[in-house]
Amino acid sequence: DLHAEWFGAERGRLVVCIPGLSANLRGFDFIAERIADPAHRVVTLDLRGRGQSQVTAPSTYGWIRHAEDVLGVADALGASRFDVVGQSRGAAGAMEIARLAPQRLGSVVLIDVCGVPDPTTVPLIRAAVERLGAVYPSVEAYLDVVKRLGTIRPWSPYWERYFRYELAPVEGGVRARSDRAAVLEDAAYGEEHDPRTLWRY
């Protein structure tokens, strides 16, 4: 089961937004609010193992599986053709859709995936993954940790909403909803499969 949120028209052209490696659907709020209109219905997703979507068994992740999930969402919404916006590893998933079913796609928007990754981003990505599974005493304590990392400037109501959505109450406080094992499996998949091979699609 995938959790999704809907912006805009009920029957307009479908635009599906695919988050990055450890991200959730709230990361697209700013964009979705601006492209949703009477002609477009924008659906933002929590990928399997992220946010409020179902955590599936080991060996059920990777760009192909996420691409198939997005195609399933389009099928469920009756869209034979649709547009897609993918961010980071979600952009790799968007290119995988272009490989699997090019006839289904109109426009494809890729965010944070072109070029050779900057090695200085690796510690930031690692820090984002490390937060998964850790229990924090409160939402405010978690937000304080994120703010002190210094990677999000300026802080805004969108970031506040993003991180608050990410948290679930557990014994002893709160922790991120996204499943650490799911994210690590996708990270390993990304290390084994170069997204640049998908650019031609």
Side-chain angles (χ1 to χ4, degrees), residues 69-112:
D69 286 346
V70 173
L71 289 166
V73 167
D75 290 342
L77 295 174
S80 58
R81 279 179 64 80
F82 62 99
D83 302 323
V84 65
V85 180
Q87 188 264 327
S88 191
R89 291 293 166 89
M95 291 189 288
E96 189 65 53
I97 296 167
R99 185 184 73 81
L100 292 173
Q103 73 284 0
R104 302 282 307 269
L105 292 178
S107 299
V108 177
V109 177
L110 306 176
I111 303 169
D112 275 348

Short mmCIF file of all heavy atoms in Angstrom, two decimals, residues 69-112:
data_model
loop_
_atom_site.label_atom_id
_atom_site.label_comp_id
_atom_site.label_asym_id
_atom_site.label_seq_id
_atom_site.Cartn_x
_atom_site.Cartn_y
_atom_site.Cartn_z
N ASP A 69 5.80 0.69 -9.17
CA ASP A 69 4.79 1.22 -8.24
C ASP A 69 4.13 2.46 -8.82
O ASP A 69 2.91 2.63 -8.73
CB ASP A 69 5.42 1.55 -6.89
CG ASP A 69 5.75 0.31 -6.06
OD1 ASP A 69 5.27 -0.79 -6.39
OD2 ASP A 69 6.50 0.46 -5.07
N VAL A 70 4.94 3.37 -9.39
CA VAL A 70 4.37 4.60 -9.96
C VAL A 70 3.45 4.27 -11.14
O VAL A 70 2.38 4.85 -11.27
CB VAL A 70 5.49 5.57 -10.38
CG1 VAL A 70 4.92 6.76 -11.14
CG2 VAL A 70 6.27 6.05 -9.16
N LEU A 71 3.86 3.33 -11.97
CA LEU A 71 2.99 2.91 -13.07
C LEU A 71 1.69 2.33 -12.53
O LEU A 71 0.61 2.57 -13.09
CB LEU A 71 3.71 1.89 -13.96
CG LEU A 71 4.85 2.48 -14.81
CD1 LEU A 71 5.72 1.36 -15.39
CD2 LEU A 71 4.28 3.34 -15.93
N GLY A 72 1.77 1.61 -11.40
CA GLY A 72 0.56 1.08 -10.77
C GLY A 72 -0.35 2.18 -10.25
O GLY A 72 -1.58 2.09 -10.34
N VAL A 73 0.26 3.25 -9.72
CA VAL A 73 -0.53 4.39 -9.26
C VAL A 73 -1.26 5.03 -10.43
O VAL A 73 -2.46 5.34 -10.36
CB VAL A 73 0.38 5.42 -8.54
CG1 VAL A 73 -0.35 6.75 -8.34
CG2 VAL A 73 0.86 4.87 -7.21
N ALA A 74 -0.54 5.22 -11.55
CA ALA A 74 -1.17 5.80 -12.75
C ALA A 74 -2.31 4.92 -13.23
O ALA A 74 -3.39 5.41 -13.61
CB ALA A 74 -0.13 6.00 -13.84
N ASP A 75 -2.11 3.60 -13.21
CA ASP A 75 -3.18 2.68 -13.60
C ASP A 75 -4.40 2.84 -12.69
O ASP A 75 -5.54 2.90 -13.16
CB ASP A 75 -2.69 1.22 -13.53
CG ASP A 75 -1.68 0.89 -14.62
OD1 ASP A 75 -1.61 1.64 -15.62
OD2 ASP A 75 -0.96 -0.11 -14.45
N ALA A 76 -4.14 2.88 -11.38
CA ALA A 76 -5.24 2.99 -10.42
C ALA A 76 -6.02 4.28 -10.60
O ALA A 76 -7.23 4.33 -10.31
CB ALA A 76 -4.69 2.90 -8.99
N LEU A 77 -5.35 5.32 -11.09
CA LEU A 77 -6.01 6.61 -11.30
C LEU A 77 -6.52 6.78 -12.72
O LEU A 77 -7.00 7.85 -13.09
CB LEU A 77 -5.04 7.75 -10.95
CG LEU A 77 -4.62 7.81 -9.48
CD1 LEU A 77 -3.55 8.87 -9.26
CD2 LEU A 77 -5.82 8.08 -8.58
N GLY A 78 -6.42 5.70 -13.52
CA GLY A 78 -6.98 5.72 -14.87
C GLY A 78 -6.22 6.58 -15.85
O GLY A 78 -6.80 7.06 -16.83
N ALA A 79 -4.91 6.77 -15.64
CA ALA A 79 -4.12 7.63 -16.51
C ALA A 79 -3.26 6.78 -17.45
O ALA A 79 -2.30 6.15 -17.01
CB ALA A 79 -3.22 8.56 -15.69
N SER A 80 -3.61 6.74 -18.72
CA SER A 80 -2.79 6.00 -19.67
C SER A 80 -1.49 6.75 -19.97
O SER A 80 -0.47 6.15 -20.28
CB SER A 80 -3.57 5.76 -20.97
OG SER A 80 -3.99 7.00 -21.53
N ARG A 81 -1.55 8.10 -19.89
CA ARG A 81 -0.35 8.93 -20.03
C ARG A 81 -0.30 9.90 -18.86
O ARG A 81 -1.35 10.36 -18.38
CB ARG A 81 -0.35 9.70 -21.35
CG ARG A 81 0.12 8.86 -22.52
CD ARG A 81 0.08 9.64 -23.82
NE ARG A 81 0.98 10.78 -23.89
CZ ARG A 81 2.28 10.72 -24.15
NH1 ARG A 81 2.85 9.55 -24.34
NH2 ARG A 81 3.02 11.81 -24.21
N PHE A 82 0.90 10.21 -18.43
CA PHE A 82 1.05 11.12 -17.29
C PHE A 82 2.43 11.76 -17.33
O PHE A 82 3.29 11.38 -18.11
CB PHE A 82 0.82 10.38 -15.97
CG PHE A 82 1.79 9.26 -15.69
CD1 PHE A 82 2.88 9.45 -14.84
CD2 PHE A 82 1.64 8.00 -16.27
CE1 PHE A 82 3.78 8.43 -14.57
CE2 PHE A 82 2.52 6.97 -16.01
CZ PHE A 82 3.61 7.18 -15.16
N ASP A 83 2.62 12.76 -16.49
CA ASP A 83 3.91 13.43 -16.33
C ASP A 83 4.50 13.01 -15.00
O ASP A 83 3.78 12.59 -14.08
CB ASP A 83 3.74 14.95 -16.35
CG ASP A 83 3.08 15.44 -17.64
OD1 ASP A 83 3.37 14.87 -18.71
OD2 ASP A 83 2.27 16.38 -17.56
N VAL A 84 5.82 13.13 -14.88
CA VAL A 84 6.46 12.73 -13.65
C VAL A 84 7.54 13.74 -13.27
O VAL A 84 8.22 14.30 -14.13
CB VAL A 84 7.04 11.29 -13.76
CG1 VAL A 84 8.15 11.22 -14.78
CG2 VAL A 84 7.52 10.77 -12.43
N VAL A 85 7.64 14.00 -11.95
CA VAL A 85 8.70 14.84 -11.40
C VAL A 85 9.43 13.98 -10.37
O VAL A 85 8.81 13.48 -9.42
CB VAL A 85 8.13 16.10 -10.70
CG1 VAL A 85 9.27 16.95 -10.13
CG2 VAL A 85 7.26 16.91 -11.65
N GLY A 86 10.73 13.77 -10.57
CA GLY A 86 11.51 12.96 -9.65
C GLY A 86 12.67 13.72 -9.07
O GLY A 86 13.33 14.48 -9.79
N GLN A 87 12.91 13.52 -7.78
CA GLN A 87 14.01 14.20 -7.10
C GLN A 87 15.06 13.19 -6.65
O GLN A 87 14.73 12.21 -5.99
CB GLN A 87 13.48 15.00 -5.90
CG GLN A 87 14.51 15.90 -5.24
CD GLN A 87 15.16 15.25 -4.02
OE1 GLN A 87 14.54 14.49 -3.30
NE2 GLN A 87 16.43 15.56 -3.80
N SER A 88 16.32 13.39 -7.05
CA SER A 88 17.44 12.56 -6.64
C SER A 88 17.19 11.09 -7.01
O SER A 88 17.01 10.78 -8.18
CB SER A 88 17.71 12.74 -5.14
OG SER A 88 18.93 12.15 -4.76
N ARG A 89 17.14 10.17 -6.04
CA ARG A 89 16.88 8.77 -6.39
C ARG A 89 15.48 8.62 -7.00
O ARG A 89 15.24 7.70 -7.78
CB ARG A 89 17.03 7.87 -5.17
CG ARG A 89 18.46 7.74 -4.68
CD ARG A 89 19.34 7.00 -5.68
NE ARG A 89 20.75 7.16 -5.39
CZ ARG A 89 21.45 6.37 -4.60
NH1 ARG A 89 20.87 5.38 -3.97
NH2 ARG A 89 22.74 6.59 -4.43
N GLY A 90 14.58 9.53 -6.66
CA GLY A 90 13.27 9.53 -7.31
C GLY A 90 13.37 9.89 -8.78
O GLY A 90 12.58 9.43 -9.61
N ALA A 91 14.37 10.71 -9.13
CA ALA A 91 14.61 11.04 -10.53
C ALA A 91 15.14 9.82 -11.28
O ALA A 91 14.81 9.60 -12.45
CB ALA A 91 15.58 12.20 -10.65
N ALA A 92 15.97 9.01 -10.60
CA ALA A 92 16.41 7.76 -11.22
C ALA A 92 15.20 6.86 -11.47
O ALA A 92 15.11 6.21 -12.52
CB ALA A 92 17.43 7.06 -10.31
N GLY A 93 14.25 6.86 -10.53
CA GLY A 93 13.02 6.11 -10.75
C GLY A 93 12.22 6.64 -11.93
O GLY A 93 11.64 5.87 -12.70
N ALA A 94 12.21 7.96 -12.10
CA ALA A 94 11.51 8.57 -13.23
C ALA A 94 12.13 8.12 -14.55
O ALA A 94 11.42 7.81 -15.52
CB ALA A 94 11.53 10.08 -13.11
N MET A 95 13.48 8.09 -14.61
CA MET A 95 14.15 7.62 -15.82
C MET A 95 13.89 6.14 -16.06
O MET A 95 13.80 5.70 -17.21
CB MET A 95 15.65 7.91 -15.73
CG MET A 95 15.97 9.39 -15.81
SD MET A 95 17.74 9.74 -15.96
CE MET A 95 18.32 9.32 -14.30
N GLU A 96 13.73 5.38 -14.98
CA GLU A 96 13.41 3.96 -15.13
C GLU A 96 12.02 3.79 -15.73
O GLU A 96 11.80 2.90 -16.56
CB GLU A 96 13.49 3.27 -13.77
CG GLU A 96 13.39 1.76 -13.84
CD GLU A 96 14.56 1.11 -14.56
OE1 GLU A 96 15.73 1.37 -14.21
OE2 GLU A 96 14.30 0.32 -15.49
N ILE A 97 11.08 4.66 -15.35
CA ILE A 97 9.75 4.62 -15.98
C ILE A 97 9.88 4.91 -17.47
O ILE A 97 9.24 4.25 -18.30
CB ILE A 97 8.81 5.65 -15.31
CG1 ILE A 97 8.56 5.29 -13.85
CG2 ILE A 97 7.46 5.72 -16.06
CD1 ILE A 97 7.90 6.40 -13.04
N ALA A 98 10.73 5.88 -17.82
CA ALA A 98 10.94 6.20 -19.23
C ALA A 98 11.51 5.01 -20.00
O ALA A 98 11.21 4.82 -21.18
CB ALA A 98 11.87 7.41 -19.36
N ARG A 99 12.32 4.21 -19.33
CA ARG A 99 12.86 3.00 -19.98
C ARG A 99 11.80 1.92 -20.11
O ARG A 99 11.66 1.28 -21.15
CB ARG A 99 14.05 2.46 -19.18
CG ARG A 99 14.74 1.27 -19.85
CD ARG A 99 15.85 0.70 -18.97
NE ARG A 99 15.32 -0.02 -17.83
CZ ARG A 99 14.88 -1.28 -17.86
NH1 ARG A 99 14.87 -1.96 -19.00
NH2 ARG A 99 14.44 -1.86 -16.77
N LEU A 100 11.03 1.72 -19.03
CA LEU A 100 10.04 0.63 -19.01
C LEU A 100 8.82 0.92 -19.87
O LEU A 100 8.28 0.01 -20.51
CB LEU A 100 9.57 0.38 -17.57
CG LEU A 100 10.56 -0.20 -16.58
CD1 LEU A 100 9.97 -0.21 -15.18
CD2 LEU A 100 10.97 -1.61 -17.00
N ALA A 101 8.36 2.17 -19.86
CA ALA A 101 7.07 2.49 -20.50
C ALA A 101 7.10 3.89 -21.11
O ALA A 101 6.34 4.77 -20.69
CB ALA A 101 5.95 2.36 -19.49
N PRO A 102 7.97 4.14 -22.08
CA PRO A 102 8.08 5.49 -22.64
C PRO A 102 6.78 6.02 -23.22
O PRO A 102 6.53 7.23 -23.19
CB PRO A 102 9.17 5.34 -23.72
CG PRO A 102 9.20 3.88 -24.04
CD PRO A 102 8.85 3.18 -22.77
N GLN A 103 5.94 5.14 -23.71
CA GLN A 103 4.67 5.56 -24.30
C GLN A 103 3.70 6.11 -23.27
O GLN A 103 2.73 6.79 -23.63
CB GLN A 103 4.01 4.39 -25.06
CG GLN A 103 3.41 3.31 -24.17
CD GLN A 103 4.41 2.35 -23.52
OE1 GLN A 103 5.62 2.47 -23.72
NE2 GLN A 103 3.90 1.42 -22.74
N ARG A 104 3.96 5.86 -22.00
CA ARG A 104 3.06 6.32 -20.93
C ARG A 104 3.38 7.76 -20.50
O ARG A 104 2.57 8.38 -19.81
CB ARG A 104 3.18 5.43 -19.69
CG ARG A 104 2.88 3.95 -19.88
CD ARG A 104 1.42 3.64 -19.94
NE ARG A 104 0.62 4.13 -18.85
CZ ARG A 104 0.35 3.45 -17.72
NH1 ARG A 104 0.86 2.26 -17.55
NH2 ARG A 104 -0.44 3.98 -16.80
N LEU A 105 4.58 8.26 -20.86
CA LEU A 105 5.03 9.53 -20.31
C LEU A 105 4.87 10.69 -21.28
O LEU A 105 5.12 10.56 -22.48
CB LEU A 105 6.50 9.43 -19.89
CG LEU A 105 6.79 8.51 -18.70
CD1 LEU A 105 8.28 8.47 -18.44
CD2 LEU A 105 6.05 8.97 -17.47
N GLY A 106 4.47 11.85 -20.70
CA GLY A 106 4.47 13.09 -21.45
C GLY A 106 5.75 13.82 -21.13
O GLY A 106 6.77 13.68 -21.81
N SER A 107 5.76 14.55 -20.01
CA SER A 107 6.94 15.29 -19.58
C SER A 107 7.61 14.58 -18.41
O SER A 107 6.94 13.96 -17.57
CB SER A 107 6.53 16.70 -19.13
OG SER A 107 5.95 17.41 -20.20
N VAL A 108 8.94 14.70 -18.35
CA VAL A 108 9.72 14.16 -17.24
C VAL A 108 10.61 15.29 -16.71
O VAL A 108 11.37 15.88 -17.48
CB VAL A 108 10.59 12.96 -17.66
CG1 VAL A 108 11.44 12.47 -16.50
CG2 VAL A 108 9.71 11.84 -18.21
N VAL A 109 10.49 15.59 -15.42
CA VAL A 109 11.31 16.62 -14.79
C VAL A 109 12.24 15.92 -13.80
O VAL A 109 11.78 15.17 -12.93
CB VAL A 109 10.44 17.66 -14.05
CG1 VAL A 109 11.33 18.68 -13.34
CG2 VAL A 109 9.49 18.35 -15.02
N LEU A 110 13.55 16.16 -13.95
CA LEU A 110 14.55 15.54 -13.09
C LEU A 110 15.19 16.61 -12.21
O LEU A 110 15.66 17.63 -12.73
CB LEU A 110 15.63 14.87 -13.94
CG LEU A 110 15.15 13.85 -14.99
CD1 LEU A 110 16.33 13.34 -15.80
CD2 LEU A 110 14.39 12.71 -14.33
N ILE A 111 15.22 16.36 -10.92
CA ILE A 111 15.81 17.29 -9.96
C ILE A 111 16.94 16.57 -9.22
O ILE A 111 16.75 15.47 -8.70
CB ILE A 111 14.76 17.77 -8.93
CG1 ILE A 111 13.57 18.42 -9.64
CG2 ILE A 111 15.37 18.73 -7.92
CD1 ILE A 111 12.37 18.70 -8.73
N ASP A 112 18.12 17.17 -9.18
CA ASP A 112 19.24 16.63 -8.40
C ASP A 112 19.74 15.28 -8.88
O ASP A 112 20.09 14.42 -8.06
CB ASP A 112 18.85 16.48 -6.92
CG ASP A 112 19.04 17.75 -6.14
OD1 ASP A 112 19.66 18.67 -6.66
OD2 ASP A 112 18.55 17.81 -5.00
#
